[in-house]
Amino acid sequence: MLCLPRGKSNRIAICEAVLRRGILSVEEEERVREQMWRLAVGMDGEQRADRFWEELRISGQYRLFHNYETVNRLGYTHQMDTVFVCPRFVLVLELKHIAGEIKYDATRNQLLRSYNGQVQALGDPFNQVSRHEEWLEHFLWEIGIRNLPVLSAVVVTTVSSVLREMPEQFHMFKLEGLRFKLKYWYERMPVKVSDSILDYIRDELLGRYKMVKWLPPVENLKLRRGVLCDCGQQMTYRYGIFTCKCGNRSRDGFLKGLLDYRLLHDEWITNRAFREFFNIEDVDVASKYLQRLKLKYEGEKKARRYYIPENILEIKGRNKIVQ
């Protein structure tokens, strides 16, 4: 059972918002675009892995979580590409989309990639996935499940990559080998928990799910405010319509701005923050916009704040001209 789908990469959407609104130098823009490209490449590998799970046929129940994010008791984040929970074990996977010839340097705890005649040192993926494994073990212990083993593996999703000299104490293999590894573990590990316990674990994991706040590597990021036209210029507001110098007019152009605010600031917005972000001076105008969007809200008067949903762009038509 798929309990948490992967969906569109939130980090790619954040990079797009930064490119729209960020006041960036040429070098900073290049870094953001490179980061977005790396994320897109990684997502291609994740989608290849997801097709494997869609075709998976195993006996018994399981619970599957993609892009699981949480924060530990010390405030540090965990972002796990895939967590697989079955009655016999829990498996956490770190997906790597790496081309070339790959080997592990155990003396220096680094991954070495040889590609196009160059050797590149990468981070230690086993340290990363072992950290997630330890969190899952502690999590299970906290909720009273102490007999379900936790496994971890690094899976390379690139078809053309070649793996060499991998340590025996860690699991690292190509995506094509995941089916055989699962079968191997399934046949050799006994059932430890019931299906009802799987549901209990699912509910506890989802209860601790928390999307990790992330921004691309730009120091002291400054953002352009207002409603931005598709051409990139700032639009002006008059009689309920936003107009651009290029001739474009929009009644709901600020919806993209609300999405940018959600991605770069917060999923909650107050009247004051709305006015500051969109350069609207009139309190009543801002109030009417927020109310007519029929957003979920909490608090009263000046303390009221409105929730910006992920699908904010899909609610066109709720907004009418504000006189």
Side-chain angles (χ1 to χ4, degrees):
M1 176 190 296
L2 179 59
C3 302
L4 187 65
R6 195 174 303 279
K8 181 182 178 181
S9 170
N10 191 58
R11 295 190 175 190
I12 292 177
I14 289 172
C15 286
E16 292 171 345
V18 168
L19 290 173
R20 276 195 301 272
R21 290 200 170 264
I23 303 174
L24 307 173
S25 66
V26 174
E27 294 78 10
E28 289 172 334
E29 182 176 340
E30 288 178 354
R31 285 204 302 271
V32 175
R33 291 192 181 279
E34 181 180 359
Q35 180 77 63
M36 189 164 62
W37 174 80
R38 291 180 181 278
L39 290 168
V41 169
M43 191 172 181
D44 286 343
E46 292 170 353
Q47 289 173 344
R48 283 196 66 232
D50 290 350
R51 287 194 290 271
F52 162 83
W53 293 110
E54 290 172 2
E55 297 174 355
L56 180 64
R57 298 292 182 271
I58 60 175
S59 60
Q61 293 289 317
Y62 65 89
R63 305 293 182 267
L64 188 62
F65 307 81
H66 292 313
N67 272 356
Y68 183 81
E69 300 181 17
T70 191
V71 179
N72 64 27
R73 58 188 177 83
L74 297 176
Y76 298 113
T77 60
H78 290 265
Q79 184 179 18
M80 307 176 211
D81 291 331
T82 296
V83 179
F84 173 82
V85 184
C86 71
R88 302 168 189 266
F89 57 85
V90 175
L91 174 65
V92 57
L93 299 180
E94 179 71 21
L95 305 179
K96 295 294 183 184
H97 194 80
I98 309 172
E101 183 177 294
I102 307 165
K103 65 179 181 179
Y104 183 68
D105 181 358
T107 60
R108 297 174 178 81
N109 295 96
Q110 62 183 356
L111 209 62
L112 298 177
R113 180 181 75 150
S114 300
Y115 187 67
N116 288 340
Q118 296 183 337
V119 178
Q120 180 183 14
L122 306 175
D124 186 346
F126 302 119
N127 177 65
Q128 188 175 11
V129 76
S130 295
R131 177 174 170 269
H132 300 327
E133 180 182 334
E134 291 174 1
W135 182 86
L136 283 165
E137 289 173 345
H138 183 72
F139 157 76
L140 291 172
W141 183 272
E142 278 189 338
I143 65 174
I145 300 173
R146 302 176 181 180
N147 62 337
L148 192 62
V150 180
L151 309 175
S152 62
V154 178
V155 179
V156 179
T157 60
T158 316
V159 176
S160 60
S161 60
V162 178
L163 305 186
R164 301 189 187 280
E165 301 179 27
M166 292 299 155
E168 294 182 0
Q169 68 269 33
F170 298 117
H171 300 294
M172 184 171 186
F173 44 83
K174 300 285 288 293
L175 176 60
E176 290 73 15
L178 181 54
R179 188 182 310 276
F180 302 101
K181 288 291 185 181
L182 272 179
K183 183 179 179 181
Y184 176 86
W185 289 320
Y186 231 79
E187 291 175 349
R188 286 161 177 76
M189 303 183 76
V191 172
K192 295 290 186 178
V193 299
S194 65
D195 291 346
S196 62
I197 294 297
L198 289 187
D199 288 334
Y200 172 56
I201 295 173
R202 173 202 62 198
D203 294 343
E204 289 293 325
L205 279 173
L206 292 177
R208 301 191 188 202
Y209 176 81
K210 183 177 182 180
M211 187 171 290
V212 177
K213 188 66 178 178
W214 178 89
L215 287 174
V218 177
E219 294 184 6
N220 301 317
L221 178 62
K222 296 181 180 179
L223 302 174
R224 293 191 295 158
R225 299 184 181 276
V227 171
L228 303 182
C229 179
D230 291 339
C231 73
Q233 297 185 83
Q234 188 177 97
M235 306 181 83
T236 56
Y237 172 83
R238 189 179 183 186
Y239 300 125
I241 296 178
F242 292 96
T243 306
C244 180
K245 293 179 180 178
C246 73
N248 285 341
R249 290 157 58 87
S250 173
R251 293 177 180 173
D252 49 26
F254 66 93
L255 292 178
K256 285 186 179 180
L258 282 173
L259 178 60
D260 289 344
Y261 188 92
R262 175 190 169 93
L263 291 168
L264 302 175
H265 288 290
D266 194 356
E267 58 191 16
W268 293 90
I269 189 169
T270 63
N271 183 296
R272 179 177 179 179
F274 182 89
R275 285 182 282 118
E276 290 177 351
F277 192 74
F278 290 104
N279 292 329
I280 296 176
E281 296 181 0
D282 195 311
V283 176
D284 292 334
V285 167
S287 295
K288 289 178 181 178
Y289 264 125
L290 291 168
Q291 290 169 9
R292 290 176 181 178
L293 285 173
K294 299 181 181 179
L295 301 177
K296 181 179 77 174
Y297 65 85
E298 62 181 29
E300 296 297 331
K301 297 183 179 180
K302 292 184 178 180
R304 177 172 291 185
R305 61 178 191 163
Y306 300 82
Y307 180 75
I308 306 170
E310 288 184 279
N311 67 337
I312 185 68
L313 297 182
E314 298 175 12
I315 62 176
K316 291 183 179 181
R318 291 191 191 177
N319 177 46
K320 300 178 182 179
I321 296 178
V322 178
Q323 299 295 341

